[in-house]
Amino acid sequence: MKINNMDMHIQKGYYNKSTVEPDGITYKIDTSKQHSLYTFNLRKVYFDASKEETLSSIIEDLQEVINTLKKVKEHNEIEL
């Protein structure tokens, strides 16, 4: 998904939980159930003239990301 020329990706993955054995060293992986996890990536290159301009641009962009994600959540527009 693109927002203000930012590449935004939300990717679903899976993991298995582990538990520590009584010896306190060994981990046992529970493969009987996979749990969901989501990876969120956001990327954009800024060519602003100063640090202050760059920070202002980042704040504006992050606010736009927040607004877009709220709309997506309300309308359930994206399948994760």
Side-chain angles (χ1 to χ4, degrees):
M1 175 183 287
K2 281 235 187 229
I3 302 171
N4 286 358
N5 290 322
M6 289 181 289
D7 293 320
M8 183 179 81
H9 299 280
I10 302 172
Q11 185 173 0
K12 186 175 184 177
Y14 298 94
Y15 71 99
N16 296 102
K17 289 186 179 180
S18 62
T19 55
V20 181
E21 293 292 304
D23 65 7
I25 298 171
T26 309
Y27 284 83
K28 181 178 178 184
I29 308 293
D30 179 9
T31 58
S32 66
K33 181 177 181 187
Q34 287 189 325
H35 301 275
S36 300
L37 67 85
Y38 295 90
T39 304
F40 176 72
N41 294 303
L42 187 62
R43 182 175 57 98
K44 182 178 180 179
V45 176
Y46 292 89
F47 295 102
D48 294 323
S50 71
K51 182 178 179 179
E52 290 77 20
E53 288 177 0
T54 303
L55 290 173
S56 294
S57 295
I58 291 170
I59 290 168
E60 289 173 18
D61 286 342
L62 290 175
Q63 188 60 54
E64 186 63 31
V65 168
I66 290 167
N67 294 339
T68 301
L69 289 174
K70 284 181 179 180
K71 288 178 188 174
V72 166
K73 182 180 174 185
E74 286 174 9
H75 300 334
N76 202 16
E77 296 172 358
I78 250 181
E79 184 67 34
L80 300 176

